[in-house]
Amino acid sequence: MSQVHSRETISVELQNIGGIKHAKTDLPPGVTVLSGRNATNRTSFLQGIMAAMGSNADQMSLKSDADEGQATIQLGDNTYTRTLERTDT
């Protein structure tokens, strides 16, 4: 299995994913640690990254007051976006 090590910053933008209304941040190359107090949406942030990378949609959750959410990751010249839509109650 080949490994790809990026030396580029990864930009992440999320809208209406989990408990996140809108978040945009850059992750520098290397090890990144998410730390913080309980209920600060770390899991929602990770779900957004998973969504943009194509993970199974039933592992994602939309913000409870939203019918649509979006996760975007930009790495160099490549942009990966996934839109999630609420289909039932």
Side-chain angles (χ1 to χ4, degrees), residues 77-89:
D77 294 334
N78 298 309
T79 301
Y80 307 93
T81 300
R82 186 168 186 193
T83 300
L84 304 171
E85 295 178 352
R86 188 175 312 281
T87 57
D88 58 26
T89 59

Side-chain angles (χ1 to χ4, degrees), residues 10 25-35 45-46 49:
I10 298 170
T25 191
D26 293 330
L27 303 175
V31 176
T32 299
V33 176
L34 296 178
S35 65
F45 183 78
L46 293 174
I49 292 173

Side-chain angles (χ1 to χ4, degrees), residues 27-89:
L27 303 175
V31 176
T32 299
V33 176
L34 296 178
S35 65
R37 299 174 75 154
N38 288 344
T40 56
N41 291 310
R42 292 182 313 268
T43 300
S44 296
F45 183 78
L46 293 174
Q47 285 181 348
I49 292 173
M50 290 167 48
M53 300 198 57
S55 190
N56 193 341
D58 61 349
Q59 295 176 342
M60 309 300 128
S61 62
L62 285 175
K63 198 165 182 313
S64 61
D65 61 350
D67 290 326
E68 184 176 287
Q70 192 170 60
T72 301
I73 293 178
Q74 184 172 4
L75 176 60
D77 294 334
N78 298 309
T79 301
Y80 307 93
T81 300
R82 186 168 186 193
T83 300
L84 304 171
E85 295 178 352
R86 188 175 312 281
T87 57
D88 58 26
T89 59

